[in-house]
Amino acid sequence: MKIQSFIGNTPLVELKTFDVPADVRILAKLEFFNPSGSIKDRIVSYIIDDAERRGLLKPGATIVENTSGNTGAAIAALAATRDYRAILTMPDKVSKEKQDALRAMGAQVIVCPTSAPPDTAEHYVTQARRIHAETPNSFMLNQYDNPLNAEAHFNSTGPEIWSALGRSVTAFVASGSTGGTLSGTSRFLKLKNSAVKSVLLDPVGSIYHRYFHEGVVDPAQIAPYFVEGAGEDHLAKCMDFSVVDDVIQFTDADAFDTCQHLAQREGLICGGTSGANVWGAVQVARSMTKPATIVTVLPDSGNKYISKIYNPEWLSQNGFKLGEARTLEPAP
């Protein structure tokens, strides 16, 4: 069997070392159990399968995509098994581990400045679109605006959570960049039970928090942050705010401090978005006044970030002091 056969049906584990009310549970889906190591395997296989069925992706084709690394890894892995070429653009904040893994699978990696404003020639999304336009027999997943992104989670992640927990699910909490995970999973869970709360986590420096609460996109608020794979500097069409009940901001420190907690108390070495997701799940859990089950996802493994968020020297150089974030503070 090819690696695609092992995508999905990832474990769901309960996190028990966080300070939340005794009758509130936090469960996390371990998405780094997917073959290429992240939740993005779900959408890449779904979109590629659809493109092949419709004749949009043909033998010998080149797959072009902009990525923060995990979508790229899924593309590179599947391209390697189906004789496609992969060209991937990414911002320069993406970890060296991610970049090296893509190259190891034969992908061409083009690194672009994180500071490049949206729609400029240097921006990694613009670069991908240009390469796609200039490359014959190429296909672009267009993960930020492709409705199949969310549909993949509606048809896999959501049903898996519901099958395991049913009506006990109180809230689904996740950070978002393309918005596919949160939108598709939340839409399915709300279809089964309209009372399920959907909470998006957005890093400081991203546009989604203010857009949700005020309907404003302010370019002046766009600022650099270190967490990879969360937040955005433009509105992704895949992000469906109609299924979102709240948006909570988090900081890099919130995410990275929670990553340390997960590693040292739960035995889970996870990426920055996992730390953000669990931090947010803790905040939602602390707001509950009756028994509840909060569900989130751990999108990828911390093995992709050893040189960064698990490196004391890197943390110190970038001004992070572990333990300063609010993850472990007692509930008020």
Side-chain angles (χ1 to χ4, degrees):
M1 290 191 294
K2 292 189 176 182
I3 60 172
Q4 185 168 328
S5 303
F6 301 98
I7 295 173
N9 295 309
T10 52
L12 190 64
V13 302
E14 185 170 359
L15 306 178
K16 296 185 176 182
T17 63
F18 291 90
D19 186 5
V20 298
D23 53 358
V24 178
R25 305 168 70 205
I26 297 176
L27 290 101
K29 206 157 171 50
L30 308 187
E31 290 297 302
F32 47 80
F33 273 66
N34 285 302
S36 82
S38 88
I39 196 170
K40 293 296 187 177
D41 283 12
R42 294 177 183 268
I43 72 161
V44 170
S45 63
Y46 195 85
I47 294 173
I48 287 179
D49 285 349
D50 176 81
E52 289 178 341
R53 283 193 299 269
R54 296 197 292 155
L56 301 176
L57 191 53
K58 301 176 181 179
T62 298
I63 302 176
V64 181
E65 189 68 9
N66 44 277
T67 174
S68 58
N70 285 331
T71 298
I75 290 172
L78 291 180
T81 68
R82 303 189 188 191
D83 296 324
Y84 297 132
R85 181 186 177 206
I87 302 177
L88 307 166
T89 65
M90 60 183 55
D92 55 17
K93 75 175 183 179
V94 170
S95 70
K96 185 176 184 298
E97 290 91 338
K98 283 184 180 179
Q99 295 182 37
D100 289 347
L102 298 180
R103 294 188 179 100
M105 287 185 282
Q108 180 181 347
V109 177
I110 298 172
V111 181
C112 307
T114 300
S115 59
D119 299 324
T120 61
E122 296 79 17
H123 194 270
Y124 73 114
V125 176
T126 309
Q127 286 271 30
R129 289 172 178 164
R130 177 187 61 78
I131 294 168
H132 171 48
E134 296 175 355
T135 305
N137 191 23
S138 66
F139 173 77
M140 190 170 178
L141 275 71
N142 193 24
Q143 62 170 324
Y144 286 87
D145 299 330
N146 191 337
L148 294 180
N149 180 341
E151 187 176 301
H153 292 287
F154 179 87
N155 287 324
S156 66
T157 315
E160 288 173 26
I161 292 171
W162 185 260
S163 176
L165 300 170
R167 297 188 69 86
S168 68
V169 178
T170 307
F172 179 68
V173 181
S175 55
S177 180
T178 68
T181 299
L182 186 83
S183 300
T185 306
S186 297
R187 183 155 50 92
F188 181 87
L189 294 175
K190 285 176 175 288
L191 180 66
K192 291 295 186 178
N193 179 8
S194 61
V196 173
K197 186 177 181 181
S198 171
V199 180
L200 170 66
L201 305 171
D202 196 41
V204 173
S206 170
I207 65 170
Y208 288 144
H209 180 265
R210 185 172 182 188
Y211 179 78
F212 176 82
H213 290 286
E214 301 178 30
V216 173
V217 174
D218 183 1
Q221 288 194 314
I222 299 172
Y225 51 88
F226 288 103
V227 171
E228 301 175 26
E232 202 44 73
D233 56 13
H234 67 285
L235 288 174
K237 293 179 182 178
C238 189
M239 180 70 78
D240 182 4
F241 284 103
S242 71
V243 298
V244 179
D245 297 296
D246 196 11
V247 180
I248 301 174
Q249 278 188 310
F250 68 88
T251 66
D252 287 323
D254 294 326
F256 296 161
D257 200 57
T258 308
C259 285
Q260 301 294 328
H261 179 109
L262 287 168
Q264 295 171 17
R265 301 289 303 281
E266 299 278 358
L268 295 168
I269 299 179
C270 306
T273 50
S274 298
N277 288 357
V278 174
W279 177 86
V282 170
Q283 310 314 306
V284 173
R286 290 175 178 171
S287 71
M288 297 294 171
T289 57
K290 57 184 179 180
T293 300
I294 316 301
V295 183
T296 190
V297 291
L298 306 187
D300 66 0
S301 166
N303 291 333
K304 300 181 179 185
Y305 310 92
I306 296 297
S307 67
K308 299 177 70 175
I309 62 179
Y310 294 97
N311 182 341
E313 183 177 352
W314 183 89
L315 290 169
S316 178
Q317 288 174 348
N318 289 283
F320 296 108
K321 295 180 180 179
L322 301 184
E324 287 192 339
R326 293 164 288 172
T327 305
L328 304 178
E329 289 181 0

